[in-house]
Amino acid sequence: MRNFKSRQLKSAFVLLFAMLIFSISCPYVGVTAYAEEDQDIRVVFEDDDEIDDDDDDDEDDEDDGEDEDDADDEDDGDGADTKDDNADQGKQPEPSNNSNTTNNSKKSSKSTSRKTHRKVTVEASSKATTYYDKVVPGDDIRITVKIRGHKVKSKKLKFSSSKKSVASVSKDGVITANKKGTAKIKIRSKTNKKDKCTMIVTVADSSVRTLFIGDSRSVDIFSGSESSILGEVHDDIVVCAMNSAKIFFMKDVLKNSDLSDYDTIITWMGANDYGAFNPYKKNYSKLVSSGKKLVLCTVGASGDQYMPPQDLPYFGNGVINSFNSQLKKWAKKKKVDTIPLFEYVQKNVHVDSKDGVHYSPKPNKNIWNYILDNIS
């Protein structure tokens, strides 16, 4: 009996030892332990396939993080989006089999709400070039300044605004459009004050897509004292006009403006070009070829009886009629609309007896209203 119990005890030890050896030689593939708030710790056993899937998910999460960081770098300065990104990073994601799709849809909704900053490159020099830009309220312009072809850091430049309530500018050269109106942004080198330029910033609705260019007679339409009207909006038309303006002024306005902002270009030019229409023809042809709607006003009549004899060959009706004849012939060939301001002035406007060139009274909105009535 004693021997039987001894054998039974030995058998039990052998069986226990065998079970111990088996448990050591056959471990579980993986164990993940996690705790949830107000719950006990749970242990979940996973097989090989599930572990591989988790590794793939980790790689996807890392890629998503890199994409968001890149997007943040591109959108620096937009505080609202930065806050949204930080908030999303702090949230615990809900379990989902379509986590990648969800992440992509979140990115898509963020990208559509981001503000696109306008970038403009200008050249500062002794020529003091003037640039023209139209921007919608709430948007901003990031300026890159070059001097003699080389990019200049903003810390070596001085920026100022003539009307901060309309458009303010930071020390880094970021112009912010605050409300509708026109502001003059001056840019100057701190090391050489001769290196400078100016930006005329027009803050207007995106629906404003017509540009008007003129000389002193156009200035007189809106003011009796100013020497220029640059970037002002009148009846949803951006006006750029200057005393004594010739072809060079029009070329500069067209060259230094973003013409994608405009569908229609109206000009009242030629009074100071002594009958030379060919330079205008070249520029007008480029506008027509680019798809712009072009409207040309004929040069207004002068008062020969009030003009000094020495001025008649340059500003008299003889040279004006020659210019207008060439203009109308070209416009007819190109199917470009014209507005007959020469005839209108002769019949309806008083020529100033002081010089025989300008009109009175100043300002003279009747001329402007006639132009508006003839824009088809």
Side-chain angles (χ1 to χ4, degrees):
M1 184 69 179
R2 185 178 297 173
N3 291 335
F4 174 77
K5 289 183 177 180
S6 176
R7 287 196 301 271
Q8 191 176 30
L9 184 61
K10 287 181 180 180
S11 298
F13 277 118
V14 170
L15 180 61
L16 180 63
F17 181 76
M19 291 177 65
L20 179 62
I21 294 298
F22 178 81
S23 63
I24 294 174
S25 62
C26 300
Y28 290 105
V29 173
V31 178
T32 300
Y34 60 90
E36 295 184 352
E37 188 176 351
D38 298 330
Q39 293 183 7
D40 296 331
I41 294 178
R42 295 186 293 167
V43 178
V44 179
F45 303 100
E46 302 166 330
D47 57 26
D48 289 338
D49 293 336
E50 289 174 338
I51 291 175
D52 289 340
D53 287 343
D54 280 350
D55 289 341
D56 292 338
D57 289 341
D58 290 341
E59 291 177 1
D60 290 342
D61 290 341
E62 290 176 2
D63 291 340
D64 290 345
E66 290 174 0
D67 290 341
E68 290 178 359
D69 289 341
D70 290 341
D72 290 343
D73 290 340
E74 293 175 0
D75 192 41
D76 55 356
D78 193 340
D81 289 330
T82 304
K83 289 180 181 178
D84 290 341
D85 290 342
N86 292 339
D88 289 343
Q89 291 174 3
K91 292 180 182 178
Q92 289 292 339
E94 296 181 0
S96 172
N97 292 331
N98 299 318
S99 59
N100 291 338
T101 304
T102 304
N103 288 338
N104 290 335
S105 65
K106 286 183 179 179
K107 289 181 198 175
S108 177
S109 63
K110 288 180 187 178
S111 62
T112 56
S113 65
R114 284 195 173 98
K115 183 196 301 182
T116 301
H117 303 283
R118 191 164 188 160
K119 296 181 180 180
V120 175
T121 300
V122 299
E123 182 82 20
S125 68
S126 58
K127 295 180 180 179
T129 303
T130 299
Y131 296 87
Y132 304 85
D133 220 301
K134 183 170 72 70
V135 64
V136 176
D139 285 354
D140 48 39
I141 305 169
R142 300 186 177 189
I143 310 172
T144 297
V145 181
K146 292 185 177 181
I147 295 179
R148 285 172 284 281
H150 299 286
K151 184 177 177 181
V152 182
K153 294 182 178 179
S154 56
K155 65 181 181 180
K156 295 183 178 181
L157 301 165
K158 182 179 180 179
F159 302 90
S160 63
S161 172
S162 65
K163 195 173 292 186
K164 296 179 181 179
S165 60
V166 172
S168 55
V169 59
S170 71
K171 63 180 181 180
D172 297 320
V174 178
I175 301 172
T176 302
N178 298 315
K179 68 175 185 179
K180 294 179 184 178
T182 306
K184 182 184 294 184
I185 306 297
K186 291 185 177 181
I187 306 166
R188 178 176 59 81
S189 169
K190 291 181 179 179
T191 57
N192 185 354
K193 294 183 179 181
K194 291 183 179 180
D195 291 330
K196 56 186 178 181
C197 65
T198 301
M199 279 192 67
I200 304 298
V201 178
T202 300
V203 183
D205 292 333
S206 58
S207 59
V208 176
R209 298 194 60 82
T210 300
L211 173 64
F212 178 92
I213 306 174
D215 53 29
S216 58
R217 288 171 169 176
S218 299
V219 174
D220 293 344
I221 289 176
F222 305 102
S223 173
S225 58
E226 299 294 331
S227 61
S228 63
I229 303 291
L230 300 177
E232 292 183 8
V233 178
H234 295 273
D235 298 288
D236 288 341
I237 297 176
V238 177
V239 176
C240 291
M242 182 176 287
N243 287 357
S244 305
K246 298 184 179 183
I247 179 63
F248 306 107
F249 173 73
M250 190 188 81
K251 288 174 63 176
D252 286 343
V253 172
L254 295 175
K255 177 183 177 182
N256 298 322
S257 298
D258 186 349
L259 294 183
S260 65
D261 287 332
Y262 303 103
D263 301 319
T264 302
I265 311 293
I266 306 170
T267 71
W268 192 21
M269 295 288 298
N272 300 308
D273 294 274
Y274 317 140
F277 178 72
N278 279 339
Y280 286 94
K281 182 167 63 176
K282 294 178 181 179
N283 287 272
Y284 291 155
S285 295
K286 291 180 181 178
L287 290 173
V288 172
S289 298
S290 68
K292 302 298 179 185
K293 177 178 174 57
L294 186 61
V295 180
L296 305 180
C297 300
T298 60
V299 179
S302 295
D304 289 358
Q305 67 274 27
Y306 305 124
M307 195 175 297
Q310 63 270 23
D311 289 345
L312 282 173
Y314 306 104
F315 306 105
N317 285 326
V319 70
I320 288 175
N321 281 325
S322 174
F323 184 95
N324 286 339
S325 178
Q326 298 173 70
L327 180 152
K328 288 186 286 187
K329 182 179 179 181
W330 179 87
K332 184 178 180 180
K333 181 180 179 181
K334 297 292 184 178
K335 298 181 180 180
V336 170
D337 292 340
T338 59
I339 300 177
L341 280 183
F342 183 90
E343 291 78 9
Y344 176 81
V345 169
Q346 273 190 326
K347 295 178 181 179
N348 302 283
V349 179
H350 178 70
V351 180
D352 195 336
S353 59
K354 293 181 179 178
D355 58 20
V357 174
H358 296 93
Y359 310 136
S360 61
K362 302 175 185 178
N364 194 325
K365 288 298 183 68
N366 290 335
I367 297 176
W368 182 246
N369 290 333
Y370 180 76
I371 293 173
L372 296 178
D373 291 341
N374 281 272
I375 300 174
S376 58

